[in-house]
Amino acid sequence: MKLKLLYVIALFFVVESFSQTNTCGITVDNTFDEAGALPSDWTEYNTSGRITVESGKLKFNHNIYKPSVFHDFTPTSENSTFSFDVLASRAALNCQIHLISSTGEYLSSIGLGLGTAKIKYAAAMANGVPSSFTEGAPAISFPANTPFTISTRVDFTTKKVEIYVNGELMTTDIPFLEEAEDIAKIDIQLLYMYNNNGQVYFDNISLLSGAENRLLLKTNVNAAENILTSASIGTIYNQYPQSAADAFQLAIDSANTVLANCDSASSAIDSSISELQTAQDIFIASRVNDPVLKLYDGYNFSGEEHEVYCGYYNGGLGDYEDWAVSFTLEKGYMATFAQDINGLGFSKVYIAQDDALEINLPADLQRSISFIRVSPWFPVGKKGSLGGDIKWSSADNYNTTWHYSWGLNDQQSSGVEFVPMSWSKGDNWTSLENMEAIGQNMSFNHLLAFNEPDNIHQSNLTVEEALEAYPKLLASGLRLGAPGVENVQYSTTNDSFNDGAWIKEFMDACIERGYRVDFIPAHDYVRRSKSAFLERFKGLHDRYGLPIWVTEYNYGNPNFGSANLTVEQGYANIKGLTEVLEGADFIERYNWYYFFGPATGIGGMNNGELNITGQFYRDLDSRVPSYIQEVYEQGVLSTSNFKKNKHDLLLYPNPVTTPILTINYVELSVSNDAVVKLFNAYGQEVMIKVGAPHQIDVSNLSNGFYLVKITSEDVDVTKKIIINK
């Protein structure tokens, strides 16, 4: 985001040094630093004690009532900028933020959520209150647990407002809702949250007025401080060198000095704006992005070298497609290679956690790579956290280093790795567009597939349905987990899986079809001994040789009839289960399901505070890193990949831009019984032709990647084509 954006105040987690030393143009500047009761300049109504200050933010705690608060201040008729930061624990809500004059007229109102989880503005009044809330164009979503900075520019000359969201103009030229001559009140109302439960957090609520260039410099300083505060300092991808951060901080300090002088001339302010913009550009350009992967077209890192940066390369390798034979990967990075685009065909993930890697590719990947994803690798602990509310993954609660929330959207809990999940087989969970977006996010290492497919109340998939959808997930390029079953169906009496176990059928089919699975998640809520609990997961590990993630577990489930326990009984059993998971090397990660209510005895909280079980889980030291570095085999040089096939053939045009694909059999030994088959990107056969055809009509096939397989008595050749009519 460029600092030159007018009137946008990006204040999230901003250093407040300016507000402490300068009053130029400031009418309201609340950063909520004192935890506890509502600050004295705010007045709560409709409720009592539902609005407090927590973790440096103004917290609205919803129940059946409607917590609301207002802030009166000295009226101002100067053109002004009103700004606030906001985050909500639920997307289904109705929270309204109003600007009101000294005589009670509404200037502007912003609505959050309002049925469609969007950010909206009031376009009219009805019965004395703002109404006709309207989306911007394009509409801006308001997902749960996602921070936003929202700013309103108030112009008393035109009697109109402009609204910005995260530095981008949402809407402009919106007339005041009523005739108003000043601003004198901020009014915030939390009118609804789904299930009458949830929180909304506000921070950095401010109202500033003054000359345009002073406001712009104030805006730019706040944005620069936000950029620097959120920047990761270090020497790996997406981090910034300490020296660059120091230089940027000096430029910010200099700009603050100009702002602190209320007599600063316009020329000095304009010069400071320019200097700060230049400093930001230099800082952003210093972000580390070195070529961490090096490919070689020869065995043992010989021949020509090609450098690859962190990124997502899906069929875009150009001259380096079907090229590499060996590679090196720097420590702290992860690379995924696949034969075909969308991560299909033979694929493998390499992780350089403990040391840099030097690898000769396996024969199936030598000179056959069309897909590469390279990203930083984030070592985390075994112990994880659950749920859409990011507070559970904070150091103040369960003290974990990773979490998931049964969805694809990053919950943005600072310092805690998010693991996305494709919850079911639908396109909204598995589309190639979604998988490419997930793959392009360099903060992700893992993807979970399909939640409890063996449960009719969850994703409820047959093995065949899951197998049909699963290959699409490979397009993410992430380290990929199997579907997380509710019931492993492992026999503890005969050391085998029960006949028809869902996960057994799925995994056996993946092996047969060549689908990559990197780890196996599973759940367990049955009350059993520690040894029986662990043995089920060990059986899963021993059969397939893959690490296990126990992504949900507890000592019983009251939803399925488990009797209530005392908290002491729950604590003793959950502690035992957790400790055996922590101690087992084949368990890579685990998540205790701690959401059950206090009456069950197996939840994590009583009266809003962590109980003894929750405190145990929080205080448990979990092994970091949870991943155990794999020792990779060196691929043997595959000479067949370096010799021209005596039954080679030419396919043209490629990409296919006409209705007809021509096949030129270079060697005429192909017999007349040769069969030509076309397979789509998911391995599904879409066409078959017999009799060694030289031309095939592909006009009925959609654009995309295909494999053309030609077989006869003495020929078996496969070629890749892209149809792009």
Side-chain angles (χ1 to χ4, degrees):
M1 179 180 67
K2 286 285 188 182
L3 292 179
K4 65 184 179 182
L5 285 173
L6 288 174
Y7 313 126
V8 180
I9 305 183
L11 293 173
F12 216 89
F13 304 118
V14 165
V15 179
E16 61 169 331
S17 59
F18 173 72
S19 65
Q20 293 174 338
T21 60
N22 185 353
T23 60
C24 306
I26 293 177
T27 302
V28 176
D29 191 7
N30 285 175
T31 54
F32 307 106
D33 298 316
E34 296 295 328
L38 185 67
S40 59
D41 49 356
W42 291 85
T43 302
E44 181 177 359
Y45 63 100
N46 292 334
T47 56
S48 177
R50 305 297 295 184
I51 305 175
T52 57
V53 176
E54 180 180 293
S55 301
K57 298 178 182 63
L58 189 65
K59 175 185 176 182
F60 286 63
N61 194 22
H62 193 269
N63 59 3
I64 60 174
Y65 301 104
K66 303 171 183 178
S68 304
V69 68
F70 67 83
H71 183 308
D72 286 325
F73 48 86
T74 303
T76 178
S77 298
E78 292 190 53
N79 293 345
S80 303
T81 299
F82 168 61
S83 181
F84 60 90
D85 300 330
V86 63
L87 174 149
S89 65
R90 292 184 180 273
L93 77 159
N94 179 358
C95 184
Q96 298 181 16
I97 302 93
H98 312 295
L99 291 180
I100 303 175
S101 75
S102 59
T103 51
E105 292 86 11
Y106 285 84
L107 288 82
S108 173
S109 294
I110 293 172
L112 307 176
L114 295 175
T116 55
K118 298 289 194 299
I119 298 174
K120 303 180 180 181
Y121 63 92
M125 297 288 291
N127 300 319
V129 296
S131 67
S132 302
F133 282 88
T134 304
E135 299 174 356
I140 300 174
S141 296
F142 188 70
N145 301 304
T146 303
F148 287 88
T149 295
I150 301 176
S151 304
T152 302
R153 173 64 179 168
V154 180
D155 191 326
F156 280 100
T157 303
T158 62
K159 298 295 181 73
K160 292 181 179 180
V161 301
E162 296 175 338
I163 299 174
Y164 294 82
V165 178
N166 291 342
E168 300 293 335
L169 182 64
M170 183 180 91
T171 187
T172 188
D173 290 333
I174 304 302
F176 286 2
L177 292 171
E178 296 180 297
E179 282 294 325
E181 300 301 325
D182 58 27
I183 312 171
K185 177 187 287 189
I186 299 166
D187 189 319
I188 305 175
Q189 302 174 355
L190 180 52
L191 302 176
Y192 166 79
M193 291 196 87
Y194 175 74
N195 203 31
N196 286 323
N197 180 267
Q199 299 79 39
V200 179
Y201 299 90
F202 286 87
D203 197 7
N204 298 311
I205 299 176
S206 66
L207 184 78
L208 296 96
S209 60
E212 287 188 2
N213 63 345
R214 176 173 289 279
L215 279 175
L216 180 55
L217 180 57
K218 175 67 169 76
T219 297
N220 291 0
V221 167
N222 288 332
E225 289 174 333
N226 182 50
I227 290 169
L228 186 55
T229 301
S230 61
S232 176
I233 307 302
T235 59
I236 66 171
Y237 173 79
N238 220 27
Q239 294 185 331
Y240 296 85
Q242 184 63 57
S243 58
D246 293 342
F248 193 22
Q249 184 64 61
L250 286 174
I252 293 172
D253 293 342
S254 177
N256 268 322
T257 299
V258 173
L259 278 174
N261 181 4
C262 293
D263 296 324
S264 292
S266 292
S267 58
I269 294 175
D270 290 340
S271 177
S272 186
I273 290 171
S274 177
E275 291 169 2
L276 189 58
Q277 179 64 65
T278 299
Q280 179 191 300
D281 291 342
I282 293 172
F283 178 70
I284 295 300
S286 74
R287 184 174 65 94
V288 177
N289 186 19
D290 298 326
V292 297
L293 173 68
K294 295 182 180 179
L295 305 177
Y296 299 87
D297 69 346
Y299 196 69
N300 279 339
F301 329 110
S302 62
E304 185 181 346
E305 177 187 278
H306 176 55
E307 296 180 334
V308 181
Y309 295 79
C310 283
Y312 179 84
Y313 306 91
N314 188 11
L317 298 176
D319 292 340
Y320 299 98
E321 185 168 335
D322 299 339
W323 184 84
V325 175
S326 58
F327 74 89
T328 62
L329 181 66
E330 289 187 13
K331 179 181 177 180
Y333 293 90
M334 161 182 157
T336 303
F337 302 98
Q339 287 179 320
D340 303 324
I341 65 170
N342 298 330
L344 295 173
F346 182 83
S347 65
K348 189 167 180 59
V349 175
Y350 291 90
I351 299 166
Q353 174 179 271
D354 299 340
D355 298 288
L357 299 181
E358 295 183 342
I359 301 291
N360 288 301
L361 287 162
D364 287 332
L365 286 175
Q366 289 179 22
R367 294 198 186 278
S368 64
I369 294 171
S370 295
F371 176 101
I372 296 175
R373 180 185 185 271
V374 189
S375 74
W377 170 253
F378 302 101
V380 299
K382 278 190 169 189
K383 180 179 66 173
S385 48
L386 288 161
D389 191 339
I390 62 173
K391 69 179 183 180
W392 298 119
S393 55
S394 73
D396 295 333
N397 286 279
Y398 288 130
N399 191 27
T400 62
T401 53
W402 73 278
H403 75 294
Y404 77 96
S405 61
W406 297 279
L408 293 172
N409 293 325
D410 186 355
Q411 299 302 304
Q412 299 185 24
S413 181
S414 178
V416 181
E417 181 194 61
F418 177 73
V419 178
M421 172 189 279
S422 291
W423 190 86
S424 190
K425 67 172 184 173
D427 279 348
N428 55 324
W429 300 106
T430 63
S431 70
L432 289 179
E433 291 79 9
N434 275 335
M435 291 303 102
E436 288 182 1
I438 291 292
Q440 289 167 356
N441 190 324
M442 294 291 103
S443 67
F444 293 159
N445 288 150
H446 303 85
L447 176 64
L448 295 164
F450 316 146
N451 187 63
E452 295 189 355
D454 54 336
N455 182 345
I456 61 172
H457 301 294
Q458 294 296 316
S459 63
N460 189 27
L461 302 176
T462 66
V463 171
E464 283 303 316
E465 287 174 328
L467 288 168
E468 180 180 355
Y470 184 84
K472 290 188 283 187
L473 307 187
L474 292 166
S476 70
L478 298 178
R479 194 164 178 253
L480 185 56
V485 293
E486 178 191 37
N487 185 4
V488 175
Q489 291 181 262
Y490 181 77
S491 171
T492 58
T493 59
N494 61 10
D495 195 32
S496 67
F497 284 88
N498 300 338
D499 290 339
W502 196 101
I503 191 60
K504 174 179 178 292
E505 291 189 10
F506 178 86
M507 287 300 301
D508 289 352
C510 283
I511 292 171
E512 181 181 348
R513 300 183 185 198
Y515 296 164
R516 173 171 56 82
V517 179
D518 297 300
F519 59 94
I520 306 177
H523 303 167
D524 198 330
Y525 287 92
V526 177
R527 287 181 175 167
R528 54 177 109 246
S529 68
K530 293 185 293 185
S531 59
F533 171 76
L534 192 63
E535 185 65 27
R536 295 161 59 79
F537 302 119
K538 188 174 188 301
L540 196 57
H541 165 75
D542 289 349
R543 180 177 179 89
Y544 299 108
L546 293 172
I548 306 300
W549 289 25
V550 184
T551 44
E552 291 182 31
Y553 73 95
N554 205 317
Y555 190 67
N557 186 333
N559 297 323
F560 297 123
S562 296
N564 290 343
L565 302 175
T566 66
V567 174
E568 290 74 18
Q569 289 171 325
Y571 164 71
N573 286 283
I574 293 167
K575 179 176 182 291
L577 300 182
T578 304
E579 287 175 340
V580 296
L581 293 176
E582 182 63 40
D585 283 344
F586 62 88
I587 301 294
E588 190 170 280
R589 298 192 187 185
Y590 59 84
N591 296 79
W592 169 39
Y593 188 94
Y594 36 69
F595 292 116
F596 297 127
T600 67
I602 57 174
M605 298 192 77
N606 287 24
N607 299 320
E609 301 292 335
L610 293 180
N611 58 27
I612 55 174
T613 319
Q615 292 172 22
F616 155 75
Y617 196 73
R618 175 197 65 194
D619 297 337
L620 177 68
D621 288 331
S622 187
R623 188 184 75 198
V624 180
S626 62
Y627 171 77
I628 298 175
Q629 179 68 62
E630 182 177 347
V631 178
Y632 298 105
E633 295 182 3
Q634 295 291 339
V636 177
L637 184 62
S638 176
T639 57
S640 63
N641 285 330
F642 300 92
K643 295 180 180 179
K644 183 178 179 180
N645 193 312
K646 68 177 182 177
H647 299 298
D648 204 358
L649 72 156
L650 299 176
L651 303 175
Y652 56 88
N654 191 12
V656 183
T657 56
T658 65
I660 301 299
L661 170 68
T662 298
I663 305 176
N664 184 353
Y665 302 95
V666 178
E667 299 290 339
L668 299 181
S669 60
V670 176
S671 59
N672 289 331
D673 67 347
V675 177
V676 178
K677 296 181 179 180
L678 272 69
F679 300 86
N680 65 15
Y682 307 120
Q684 299 166 324
E685 183 181 301
V686 296
M687 183 181 294
I688 181 171
K689 299 290 183 180
V690 299
H694 286 268
Q695 290 189 322
I696 296 177
D697 186 349
V698 295
S699 58
N700 290 329
L701 297 181
S702 59
N703 289 347
F705 162 81
Y706 293 85
L707 292 176
V708 181
K709 185 176 179 65
I710 294 92
T711 57
S712 67
E713 183 178 351
D714 58 348
V715 173
D716 188 350
V717 179
T718 301
K719 289 285 187 179
K720 306 172 189 177
I721 63 169
I722 296 176
I723 294 179
N724 186 21
K725 302 188 294 291

